[in-house]
Amino acid sequence: MPEFTADSVGKVSRAAKGLCMWCRAMDVYAEVVKIVEPKKAKVAEANLQFNEANAALEEKKANLAKVQEKVAALQAQLNAALTEKKSLSDQADLCEARLSRAGKLTAALGDEQVNWTEQSKVLAEQLERLVGDIFVAAACVAYVGPFTMSYRSKIVQDWVDKAKEVGVPVSEGFRFADVLAKAVEIRSWNIAGLPSDEVSVGNGVLVKNTSRWPLMIDPQMQANKWVKNMEDQNGLRLIKLTDGRYLQTLENCVRNGNPLLLEDLGEEIDPALEPILMKQLFKQAGRLLIRLGEQDIDYDENF
């Protein structure tokens, strides 16, 4: 009722005013409850649906995680399979290339079989004649140096005949240059300035194999040019007996192992060179020495 208010009732009775206020509050509460309770029910229902949805979502997430793990495992297997496929493909290509090269090599070796067979026979014959060839070649190094080509040929032929007479096999058409030097080495000498005739090549072989210092009679300066070209890279030093300090240069070469070329040598030689020419070496306190002039100096075996 509109007139049922706390003020109007309070005019009549203060006790009734409180009761009126309570009644109106309960009326308001009843109206609010009529509005709120359905909403609470809807909220509770919505919360239930939300929880159910969350539970379903978590279940789906768990299922998704399992699926993702399977996908990752399958992807790893796929990557491993692709890697293995590439490795096998590379190996197949390599094997194919090797087979191709092996086929070519086999064909080439088949063509070389005849040459190798012939070469093995030649080597067997050379091995059989090795002792005689080395014997005559050593005699050439020791004795034929001063002689002319004609006398060299005669004396070598005499040695070959004598060796065969006593049963020592020697190669037919023996040439000591073939025994003591290689064709490639002789070619390098020719490039360095050594003439390619048989006498010059023979002299080069003697110079290379002799254990003494070679004396070269060289009016055309061919040997001089050859030695300079061959030994320049090794620090070749040049001296003449007319040089005032040639002994000092000689001493440095002996100590350091540098090659030395003595030019314009006359008929007489300085006595101070005798220990060098005779290689009068001696050891003292573990050092290899040689006397040069008035002092003993270290001797480098590369000299």
Side-chain angles (χ1 to χ4, degrees):
M1 293 183 296
E3 62 275 10
F4 188 69
T5 62
D7 293 335
S8 61
V9 172
K11 293 177 180 179
V12 178
S13 173
R14 288 188 175 183
K17 180 180 179 179
L19 182 61
C20 178
M21 291 175 64
W22 180 83
C23 289
R24 289 187 65 84
M26 291 300 295
D27 181 62
V28 172
Y29 175 76
E31 293 297 330
V32 171
V33 168
K34 290 179 181 179
I35 297 172
V36 171
E37 283 301 324
K39 292 183 178 181
K40 281 186 175 182
K42 290 181 179 180
V43 169
E45 183 179 359
N47 285 333
L48 179 62
Q49 293 177 353
F50 175 74
N51 292 334
E52 291 177 352
N54 275 339
L57 176 61
E58 292 299 326
E59 182 179 358
K60 297 298 182 182
K61 285 183 177 180
N63 293 335
L64 176 61
K66 293 179 180 179
V67 171
Q68 287 178 337
E69 290 179 0
K70 291 181 179 180
V71 170
L74 292 174
Q75 185 65 44
Q77 293 179 4
L78 175 61
N79 294 336
L82 291 175
T83 302
E84 184 177 4
K85 176 186 175 183
K86 185 177 184 305
S87 175
L88 293 175
S89 177
D90 294 341
Q91 292 179 15
D93 293 340
L94 180 60
C95 289
E96 185 176 354
R98 287 177 175 175
L99 285 174
S100 176
R101 291 194 293 267
K104 295 178 181 179
L105 179 60
T106 302
L109 293 178
D111 296 337
E112 290 294 327
Q113 182 178 3
V114 176
N115 294 335
W116 288 351
T117 302
E118 295 177 354
Q119 187 65 26
S120 65
K121 293 180 181 179
V122 172
L123 291 175
E125 294 173 357
Q126 290 179 348
L127 182 61
E128 183 180 354
R129 300 188 297 267
L130 181 62
V131 174
D133 289 348
I134 292 297
F135 172 75
V136 179
C140 291
V141 173
Y143 297 108
V144 305
F147 303 130
T148 62
M149 184 62 198
S150 59
Y151 191 76
R152 284 183 186 180
S153 300
K154 181 180 182 305
I155 193 173
V156 168
Q157 188 59 49
D158 290 342
W159 289 338
V160 171
D161 294 340
K162 186 62 176 178
K164 291 181 178 179
E165 181 181 333
V166 297
V168 178
V170 182
S171 298
E172 294 294 335
F174 173 85
R175 294 175 67 251
F176 67 87
D178 296 336
V179 179
L180 299 176
K182 297 179 180 179
V184 175
E185 187 176 24
I186 294 175
R187 180 59 181 165
S188 68
W189 295 348
N190 297 146
I191 294 174
L194 183 69
S196 57
D197 61 275
E198 188 171 356
V199 176
S200 298
V201 171
N203 290 337
V205 172
L206 294 176
V207 169
K208 171 181 176 289
N209 290 279
T210 182
S211 60
R212 295 181 178 273
W213 311 120
L215 172 64
M216 294 174 284
I217 301 174
D218 186 30
Q220 297 179 348
M221 301 297 288
Q222 294 174 335
N224 185 282
K225 176 183 177 183
W226 171 57
V227 171
K228 288 179 179 178
N229 290 336
M230 288 292 293
E231 298 296 337
D232 182 65
Q233 60 182 353
N234 297 322
L236 177 68
R237 300 292 186 269
L238 307 176
I239 62 171
K240 296 180 182 179
L241 294 183
T242 56
D243 296 339
R245 299 172 61 84
Y246 82 89
L247 281 178
Q248 181 177 354
T249 303
L250 174 60
E251 178 182 343
N252 292 334
C253 290
V254 171
R255 289 181 183 275
N256 301 323
N258 296 113
L260 179 74
L261 179 61
L262 175 56
E263 297 180 309
D264 299 338
L265 186 62
E267 295 183 2
E268 297 183 358
I269 301 178
D270 189 342
L273 297 179
E274 183 176 351
I276 298 292
L277 298 176
M278 300 300 294
K279 291 189 176 180
Q280 296 176 349
L281 306 176
F282 61 95
K283 283 191 175 182
Q284 188 177 73
R287 298 164 56 196
L288 186 62
L289 303 174
I290 191 170
R291 176 165 288 275
L292 184 61
E294 299 297 326
Q295 59 179 338
D296 297 333
I297 63 173
D298 291 298
Y299 183 88
D300 190 314
E301 296 186 34
N302 293 319
F303 171 66

